[in-house]
Amino acid sequence: MMCYTPSYNPSWFLQNGALMTVYTALWGKRYWETTIEHPEPSYHEQIFIGSEGVPIFGLVAIPENARGTIIGTYGITGELETQWYLRLLGRKAFALGYAVVLFDWRAHGKTAQLSPTLTSDGLYEGEDYVRIAAAAKAMGCPGKFWFTGFSLGGQLALWGVKVAGEVIREYGDLELEDSDIGGGMVICPSLDSQRSLSYLVTKPFGRYIEAGIAKDLKKLAWRLHEIHPGSFDPEAIERANSIWGFDNELVIHRLGFPSVEAYYQASSALKILPQISKPTLIIYAGDDPLFDPAIIPELEAACDDNPAIDLLLTQYGGHVGYVSSKQCQQQLKDPDIWWAWNRILEWLEQRID
């Protein structure tokens, strides 16, 4: 039996995972700025150096007397310029007194302009988070550092929390202490790509979503090919007509994996949950239409066995949706409709020294 938290309740017409997902993406893109009073922080651009010397483009905003630092990125496709859901967090967090570091992860946005290095679904991005924290500390961002993300970005953030101590011990020149790392906070993280992709294409809605993501990944590959001539085989890009195909044609061989299955198994966030030792909040929806629901009992078991992880499992919410009803907002005294970000910031406030 799944133990759902009763604190989230959407309007009746959004009590469907697919509808919530589409509604949030389309409505939020147009109207999100009308839902909050906080202005955009005065970000300045920064190029960080990630794992294996890969340059990472980011935005940094530091308020006076900052109380800690939130470092975050987004999901499988996109760029900072258009990632309104992440920018929403930036506004809310900055208004609460947190320094904010948002970044285009590997092969995305302005990071793609700086390097032809492709994604690794956490295997290298985890270290990227830690190196970004070290550079942010040198710039004046205060600890503790909290890693966040949603969807595939949530998987990356979990890897960051998992490897933080290892990276700090291995690279003493980072001038970062283990105690500087606070932990992680993620919304609808990808946990098992192989199972979820197999599940996704069994449903009409899932096939539509998968096709859209695959189209965006192909655009990403062509953009990298254009910016970095000679780095990619055009014929391989032509053959990459699915998410699995993108990884098969362009990613796995560069990372040294014999198959997509082996790559997904190695990068799976579900298997690293027992190794997370820093306070971490996972928000996950039972009706998420992108992920195989069979994963949920395993997620619950892993979180039950690890006292460092708090799991907020909800009956509704869709995939990175969580638009709350007026009644829900009133009950929780939330300032806006963004239930998941409000829970993350509420959870974080309880852990600030």
Side-chain angles (χ1 to χ4, degrees), residues 46-50 54-60 101 131-132 135-136 139:
Q46 181 71 28
I47 296 176
F48 300 96
I49 303 301
V54 174
I56 307 287
F57 175 82
L59 298 174
V60 182
V101 180
R131 290 185 171 273
I132 289 171
M139 293 169 52

Side-chain angles (χ1 to χ4, degrees), residues 55 115-116 152 158 219 226 231 250 264 288 349:
S115 168
L152 186 52
L158 290 172
K219 286 181 183 176
E226 182 180 334
S231 296
L250 301 170
Y264 288 164
D288 191 321
E349 288 284 279

Side-chain angles (χ1 to χ4, degrees), residues 231-258:
S231 296
F232 298 92
D233 177 5
E235 293 183 1
I237 298 175
E238 284 287 1
R239 294 192 296 267
N241 292 316
S242 64
I243 298 174
W244 187 94
F246 176 86
D247 289 329
N248 184 59
E249 295 290 345
L250 301 170
V251 174
I252 61 171
H253 303 300
R254 292 168 181 250
L255 295 175
F257 288 99

Side-chain angles (χ1 to χ4, degrees), residues 305-323:
D305 290 341
N306 188 341
I309 301 177
D310 292 328
L311 173 64
L312 272 181
L313 177 62
T314 60
Q315 184 174 2
Y316 306 116
H319 184 68
V320 195
Y322 285 112
V323 172

Side-chain angles (χ1 to χ4, degrees), residues 195-203 206-207 209-210 289-290:
R195 274 195 285 174
S196 288
L197 273 180
S198 298
Y199 169 81
L200 190 62
V201 296
T202 64
K203 314 280 185 181
R207 288 193 292 272
I209 293 294
E210 195 277 342
L290 270 64

